[in-house]
Amino acid sequence: MNGAGIASQSELARRSGVPQPTINRILNGVGKQGPATQTLKKLATACEVSFQWLTDGMDAERGAAAEGAVSVVPEPDIENLFVVPKSPEADRAAGPVSIRTVRLRSSAKGTEFAGQADERSGDEVYLRKEWLQTRGYHDQALIALAMDGDSMEPGLYAGDILVVNLSDRQPHDGEVFVLAYEGTVLIRRLVRDAGRWWLCSDSAAPRRFPRKRYADSECSIIGRVVYKLSEKI
C-alpha cells in the first residue's frame, strides 16, 4: 500500500474491489485461514506488485526477495487524526506495548473530531503484545482515554481508562463505542431496536441521558471500547 501510494484501507478497497472489512481482517491477521487466491490477485494488482511477491515475498523471476519490498503496517482507516507513538518495548514478542492516553474533541459539524496527547495525567496504558495479537488488535490503532461523567455507570465510572480500537468502526449490537455526535464526544452503547441503531446510556436515569438515534449524517464512530482499567470494585 505504501509503495503504491495508497493511503487508507478504503482507497485500497476502491482500487481492488475487495471489501474494506476483508482488507482490515487481512492487515490485522484475523482468522485461521489466509485470504482467497482471487482476493490476493486483486490486491496485488491494486498495489502494483506481483502475486507471488504478495503471497511469499519472493520475486517471481529472480526467486529472491523483491528489491524495495516494504513492511506493511496496518493503520486505522481514519484521516487527519493523530499518530499514536510506538514504544521501544513493542518490538519484543510478548513485551508491554504502550498505548498513549489522549483527549478527543469534536467539531461543530458533529461528525468530525481530533485528538491530542493528554498532558494532564501523563498516564500510559501498557498491554502485552501477545494479548493484542490473540485478539487481532494492532497497537498503532489503539488509543486510551479517560471516562468523563456518569452517563455509563455502573459499567463505566468517571476516571476509568478506556482502550479504544480506532479500526473497529462498524456498529455492533450491545457494544460500547466512542462517537462524535452533535459537536461532542460521547461514549455510548449501540443498540439495534425496531430496525434502527440507537445510542444508549447504561445509567439508571434515562431522563438525564435519553437514548439518541444513530444517523451517519449526524454521528461518526471513532472506535470501539475494547478494554478498561478501573479502580471501582
Side-chain angles (χ1 to χ4, degrees), residues 89-175:
E89 291 86 353
D91 291 330
R92 300 178 183 177
V97 177
S98 173
I99 309 299
R100 179 65 63 89
T101 302
V102 304
R103 283 183 292 171
L104 295 176
R105 58 180 176 80
S106 178
S107 72
K109 294 181 180 180
T111 59
E112 299 177 0
F113 57 92
Q116 64 185 75
D118 190 347
E119 303 295 344
R120 296 171 301 175
S121 65
D123 292 336
E124 287 186 327
V125 177
Y126 290 90
L127 298 175
R128 286 177 57 83
K129 195 173 186 68
E130 182 181 16
W131 184 88
L132 298 174
Q133 292 174 339
T134 57
R135 287 157 178 80
Y137 301 147
H138 195 280
D139 60 286
Q140 290 186 343
L142 299 178
I143 59 170
L145 52 86
M147 179 68 193
D148 188 19
D150 58 351
S151 63
M152 293 299 289
E153 291 184 8
L156 302 173
Y157 289 87
D160 286 356
I161 302 298
L162 311 180
V163 177
V164 182
N165 184 6
L166 300 177
S167 65
D168 190 346
R169 303 173 66 199
Q170 295 299 318
H172 301 286
D173 191 17
E175 297 286 347

Side-chain angles (χ1 to χ4, degrees), residues 203-211:
S203 172
R207 290 188 178 182
R208 289 184 59 203
F209 307 105
R211 73 176 188 175

Side-chain angles (χ1 to χ4, degrees), residues 16 39-52 54:
S16 65
T39 296
L40 286 176
K41 287 182 178 179
K42 292 178 180 179
L43 293 176
T45 300
C47 291
E48 301 175 359
V49 297
S50 70
F51 170 74
Q52 185 172 351
L54 188 60

Side-chain angles (χ1 to χ4, degrees), residues 71-86:
S71 230
V72 178
V73 177
E75 296 180 354
D77 191 19
I78 298 176
E79 298 178 357
N80 303 320
L81 184 56
F82 47 78
V83 176
V84 180
K86 190 175 181 181

